[in-house]
Amino acid sequence: MASPLDDRTRAIISACVPALEAHGLAITTEMYRRLLANPDIRDLFNLSHQRDGEQPRALALAVLAYARNIDNLGALSGMVERIAEKHVGLNILPQHYPYVADALLGAIAQVLGDAATPEILDAWGKAYWFLAEILIGREEQIYEAHAAAPGGWVGWRAFRVQSRVQQAQGIVSFTLVPEDGKPVMRHVPGQYLSFRLDVPGHGSERRNYSISSAPNPHHYRISVRRIEGGVVSDWLDDTVREGAIVQVSAPAGEFTLASPPPSSLVFLSAGVGLTPFMSMLGALEESGARVPVRYIHGTRTPATEAFGAYVRDLAAAGKLTADIFYSREAPKGEGAPVGVTRHEGRITSQWLSQQVDADATWYICGPDGFMRDMVAALKAAGVPQERIRYEFFGSAADAVLA
C-alpha cells in the first residue's frame, strides 16, 4: 500500500495548480517527446493520439485534476480505475513506471525553468510515485484476476479473424477466435479489447476496440469504423480478412453493465459509439432479464446505421423501445417499425431534456463533443451523477467530466 503524502508535499502540489493551468499541456507534450524518443517504451503508445495531440491534452487534464484534488484523492477513484484498466489492456508493467517518472520530472524542469525548484521537483517525485504505487497495486489485482479466470490470460494472445462482416457503410465487424483453440474469458458487457498490430509502413501500433458481442466462452467481436486517414482503421478495412492473425490482450475497462442490471436503462449513443451497447443488449437478452430499456441512437443515414436490424428485432419483440435520429437522410417510403420512433436531425440537448427519466441509469458513448452535451443536458435536467455513465474513445477520460 502506498504511504500517505505528507502535508508539505500536498501543499506544494496544490500550490502548483496555477502553473499547471498555464503550462500543463506544454509539460505533458515535452514528457511524451522524451518517452517516444526511448525505443524501450515508445511502442506502448497510440502514436495517432500523439500526432493529433489528444494524449498530451488528456494527461494534462489528469495531472491538473490530481493537483486540484491532492487533499481529496477519493474524488479521483473513477479516473484511477480507468487508467489502471487501460494500462492492463496495454500490458503496462511495474518496470515501465520509472521511464515515465524520469520523463515527467524532466519535462517539469525544462518547461518551468528556474521556477521548478528542488522542493517542487521533490514533491512531484513523491506525488508521482504515490499514485504509481496505487496503480501498480490495482493493475496487479486485475492481472491476477485475468490469469485466474476460465479462458483468461495475461500478455498478448494470438487471435484469428474467423469472419468479417460489413456491418454498415464504413463499419466492419470482425469475429475473433483464439489461435490456440482454447476458450476465451467471458468479458463483462461494455469492456474492450486492446490490440498490438504491426501495420506495414507504420510499425507497431496499439488500439482499443469495444467488444460488440454478448459474453461467451468462444469468441469476441469488434466493430470498427473506418476513419479516412486513420492508420489502423484504414488498414483493417483494406487489408484484414478471414484467417488474419492479430495480437490481443484480455478484456478490460470499467464502463460495464452492472450485475444485476439497474432497474431501468437508457443507452444513448452516436455513430460507432453503439458498440458496447450491442454487447450489453446481447447479455440482457441471453439472461432473460426483464429490464425496461430505451435505446437512443444518432447516425447519418440508414446506410450508416450499424446493427439496425438487430435493434428493430428487439423492439418488435418488446425488449426495448428505440429512438433513431438521422442527421443527413431519414428512411423514405416506409413507416417506422413497432417500438421504433424515427427522427430527422441530430439528438439535441433540448430534446433530451424532455425525455429524462431520473430513475433510469444512463449509459452514453460517442464522440467527445456529443457526450459533453448529453452529460450536461442530463445533469441540468436533474439526473443524479451516479446514474450517468459514459465511455470515451480517446486515450483517457476527460477529467473535467470525471
Side-chain angles (χ1 to χ4, degrees), residues 375 379 382-390 401-402:
V375 170
K379 288 182 177 178
V383 179
Q385 173 67 48
E386 62 269 19
R387 293 188 181 274
I388 304 174
R389 307 277 324 270
Y390 44 85
L401 292 182

Side-chain angles (χ1 to χ4, degrees), residues 190-358:
Q191 288 188 312
Y192 55 80
L193 298 175
S194 296
F195 292 78
R196 185 183 68 187
L197 304 166
D198 291 320
V199 181
H202 296 277
S204 184
E205 294 279 350
R206 303 290 189 274
R207 291 296 186 275
N208 301 327
Y209 293 109
S210 295
I211 302 169
S212 61
S213 54
N216 70 87
H218 311 296
H219 68 268
Y220 302 114
R221 181 182 64 193
I222 61 170
S223 302
V224 181
R225 179 174 69 91
R226 182 186 180 102
I227 302 172
E228 290 304 324
V231 169
V232 172
S233 69
D234 284 6
W235 174 72
L236 289 170
D237 193 24
D238 292 338
T239 307
V240 176
R241 298 293 186 268
E242 287 85 353
I245 302 298
V246 292
Q247 299 295 321
V248 185
S249 64
E254 46 76 52
F255 178 70
T256 56
L257 184 64
S259 180
S263 59
S264 179
L265 286 163
V266 181
F267 296 142
L268 174 59
S269 61
V272 79
L274 54 72
T275 50
F277 301 149
M278 295 304 106
S279 179
M280 295 181 189
L281 287 171
L284 290 170
E285 185 181 14
E286 291 187 2
S287 70
R290 301 180 63 85
V291 177
V293 176
R294 188 173 185 184
Y295 175 82
I296 305 171
H297 179 64
T299 188
R300 294 180 179 179
T301 70
T304 63
E305 184 186 354
F307 298 101
Y310 176 58
V311 170
R312 289 190 290 274
D313 287 345
L314 292 178
K319 296 179 179 178
L320 59 76
T321 59
D323 289 270
I324 310 297
F325 285 74
Y326 301 90
S327 62
R328 294 188 179 178
E329 177 190 341
K332 299 176 181 177
E334 58 181 276
V338 174
V340 178
T341 303
R342 289 170 170 166
H343 307 263
E344 293 188 12
R346 299 180 183 276
I347 305 169
T348 65
S349 298
Q350 182 180 7
W351 179 86
L352 190 66
S353 66
Q354 298 169 355
Q355 312 298 317
V356 165
D357 175 358

